[in-house]
């Protein structure tokens, strides 16, 4: 976006025009190209600004919807730990703009395949362990009972109720609440570390050093197994069970060597399943909400992936049988029918 094209689009996208002018002013540029780099599920957008061989990223986070401060704060924590994240070059909190270093144009999701997965996942595991080793209590918000339950309730409220049109009767709701209590108790019993909360290839840049880590502004202090299972039960790419097991075992082995408080393998594997279920149910609710409330229907196409993730895990955990019965009764038939 340059010159007259930028001017002609000002009425259509005044924030993009404002962000471009702000970044050029900060960088001392008379002219620079300016184009969308990416958008995410929130109100944040990212633009790439180029001048000659140099490029930077501008984050546009409308202050009435988003707060840039957690991004800046957590970027500092990650950088101090030794994780590769964008440098914060300038900030305008009042208007919701950040100027960031550019970590490149390819995410791990863009480049990963069976041929390079061992190496790329290995890098991601190592970076995660570096982040977790830096963990300290009372630095990040706790992933506590209130937050865990609020996330879980997105599933009955948005996915079951508003998307599928399922109204649970009193007995079904009581059974679901019982499963939720078990999942929350299991999460709170895990060792606590820094949790990125969306640690997956789409948020990891293919860079040097590899990976560059993005989308960390919602980080919390909570269950150790949350990020490892997020990495291998991806929202946008499914892996065979053998790859998931390899990844979790690789993480477990390296985490033990690094001195992290990982429990013995059987307990850790169970922790992964249970916190994974909490995440899968939450994401089903979030993707339905993005479609119905926020007008972003593309995410709904990935909801069957999470139904499969849930159904793959439940046969191994008899304590969670009520959730399996609920899915078999209300969810699987509708997903099979294309809902």
């Amino acid at each position: 976006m340059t010159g007259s094209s930028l001017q002609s689009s000002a009425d259509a996208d005044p924030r993009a025009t404002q962000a471009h002018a702000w970044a050029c002013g900060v960088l001392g540029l008379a002219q620079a190209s300016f184009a969308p780099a990416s958008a995410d599920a929130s109100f944040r957008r990212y633009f790439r600004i180029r001048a000659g061989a140099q490029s930077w990223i501008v984050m546009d986070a409308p202050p009435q919807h988003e707060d840039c401060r957690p991004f800046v704060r957590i970027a500092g924590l990650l950088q101090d730990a030794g994780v590769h994240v964008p440098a914060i070059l300038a900030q305008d909190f009042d208007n919701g703009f950040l100027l960031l270093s550019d970590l490149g144009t390819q995410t791990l999701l863009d480049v990963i395949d069976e041929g390079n997965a061992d190496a790329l996942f290995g890098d991601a595991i190592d970076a995660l362990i570096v982040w977790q080793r830096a963990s300290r209590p009372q630095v990040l918000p706790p992933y506590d009972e209130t937050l865990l339950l609020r996330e879980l309730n997105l599933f009955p409220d948005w996915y079951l109720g508003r998307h599928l049109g399922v109204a649970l009767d009193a007995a079904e709701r009581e059974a679901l609440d019982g499963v939720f209590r078990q999942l929350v108790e299991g999460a709170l019993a895990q060792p606590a570390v820094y949790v990125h909360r969306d640690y997956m290839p789409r948020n990891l840049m293919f860079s040097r050093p590899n990976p560059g880590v993005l989308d960390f502004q919602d980080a919390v202090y909570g269950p150790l197994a949350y990020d490892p299972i997020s990495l291998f039960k991806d929202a946008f790419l499914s892996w065979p069970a053998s790859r998931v097991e390899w990844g979790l075992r690789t993480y477990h082995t390296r985490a033990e060597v690094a001195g992290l408080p990982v429990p013995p393998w059987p307990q850790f594997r169970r922790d992964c399943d249970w916190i994974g279920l909490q995440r899968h149910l939450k994401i089903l609710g979030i993707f339905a909400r993005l479609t119905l409330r926020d007008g972003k229907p593309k995410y709904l196409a990935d909801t069957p992936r999470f139904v499969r993730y849930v159904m793959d895990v439940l046969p191994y955990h008899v304590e969670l049988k009520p959730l399996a019965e609920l899915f078999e009764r209300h969810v699987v038939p509708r997903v099979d029918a294309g809902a």
Side-chain angles (χ1 to χ4, degrees):
M1 190 182 293
T2 59
S4 61
S5 64
L6 180 68
Q7 182 63 41
S8 66
S9 67
D11 292 338
D13 196 345
R15 281 198 62 85
T17 305
Q18 184 184 3
H20 177 264
W22 174 77
C24 284
V26 168
L27 292 166
L29 300 173
Q31 188 174 8
S33 68
F34 192 73
S38 68
D40 62 25
S42 72
F43 290 94
R44 288 182 297 273
R45 299 183 297 172
Y46 300 86
F47 298 92
R48 179 169 281 106
I49 185 166
R50 293 185 185 275
Q54 292 184 288
S55 66
W56 303 265
I57 297 295
V58 180
M59 179 196 289
D60 168 23
Q64 68 271 32
H65 299 296
E66 303 287 343
D67 183 1
C68 292
R69 291 173 178 81
F71 185 97
V72 172
R73 178 170 179 255
I74 296 166
L77 291 174
L78 283 154
Q79 191 170 45
D80 290 346
V83 178
H84 187 204
V85 295
I88 312 295
L89 305 176
Q91 55 201 42
D92 180 349
F93 291 140
D94 290 340
N95 289 300
F97 298 134
L98 296 179
L99 182 67
L100 311 173
S101 61
D102 189 354
L103 300 190
T105 60
Q106 291 182 304
T107 69
L108 261 59
L109 184 63
D110 295 327
V111 302
I112 200 166
D113 58 36
E114 270 298 342
N116 61 24
D118 283 8
L120 294 182
F121 274 134
D123 289 345
I125 288 168
D126 289 343
L128 175 58
I129 289 172
V130 167
W131 169 233
Q132 291 178 326
R133 288 190 67 200
S135 302
R136 303 189 308 279
Q138 299 179 333
V139 173
L140 293 178
Y143 213 163
D144 58 15
E145 179 179 0
T146 299
L147 179 54
L148 289 160
L149 277 175
R150 183 164 71 239
E151 291 180 341
L152 281 166
N153 278 307
L154 294 170
F155 168 70
D157 293 348
W158 284 95
Y159 184 73
L160 285 182
R162 304 195 194 195
H163 174 56
L164 295 184
V166 172
L168 300 179
D169 62 32
E172 289 173 324
R173 184 64 216 220
E174 184 179 359
L176 183 61
D177 287 343
V179 170
F180 285 179
R181 284 193 296 272
Q182 292 184 77
L183 293 178
V184 169
E185 288 169 4
L188 297 177
Q190 289 191 38
V193 294
Y194 289 163
V195 179
H196 178 287
R197 224 160 137 210
D198 221 3
Y199 197 77
M200 58 184 183
R202 189 184 184 191
N203 293 329
L204 303 175
M205 299 302 297
F206 184 56
S207 62
R208 295 290 179 268
N210 194 55
V213 179
L214 304 178
D215 204 24
F216 41 73
Q217 61 280 338
D218 295 323
V220 291
Y221 185 71
L224 176 142
Y226 190 99
D227 283 341
I229 197 66
S230 301
L231 184 60
F232 294 100
K233 291 292 184 80
D234 192 347
F236 305 102
L237 179 64
S238 296
W239 293 96
S242 58
R243 166 63 67 192
V244 175
E245 291 301 304
W246 170 88
L248 295 177
R249 283 191 177 274
T250 300
Y251 166 83
H252 187 264
T253 299
R254 295 185 186 182
E256 278 190 321
V257 171
L260 286 170
V262 288
W265 169 254
Q267 180 63 47
F268 173 74
R269 190 64 186 85
R270 179 183 182 276
D271 288 346
C272 286
D273 279 354
W274 282 45
I275 199 62
L277 282 169
Q278 190 271 350
R279 176 173 167 82
H280 307 332
L281 294 171
K282 169 183 73 172
I283 291 178
L284 284 168
I286 288 173
F287 282 7
R289 186 176 66 182
L290 284 167
T291 299
L292 299 170
R293 188 191 70 182
D294 301 337
K296 298 180 178 183
K298 65 177 183 177
Y299 292 95
L300 206 59
D302 286 289
T303 53
R305 184 189 318 279
F306 288 93
V307 173
R308 290 193 297 271
Y309 286 163
V310 170
M311 296 307 292
D312 287 346
V313 165
L314 289 176
Y316 298 98
H317 303 281
V318 295
E319 312 97 308
L320 306 179
K321 184 178 178 181
L323 184 61
E325 292 173 343
L326 186 149
F327 265 72
E328 289 163 358
R329 185 181 312 119
H330 292 303
V331 177
V332 173
R334 289 172 170 82
V335 171
D336 289 345

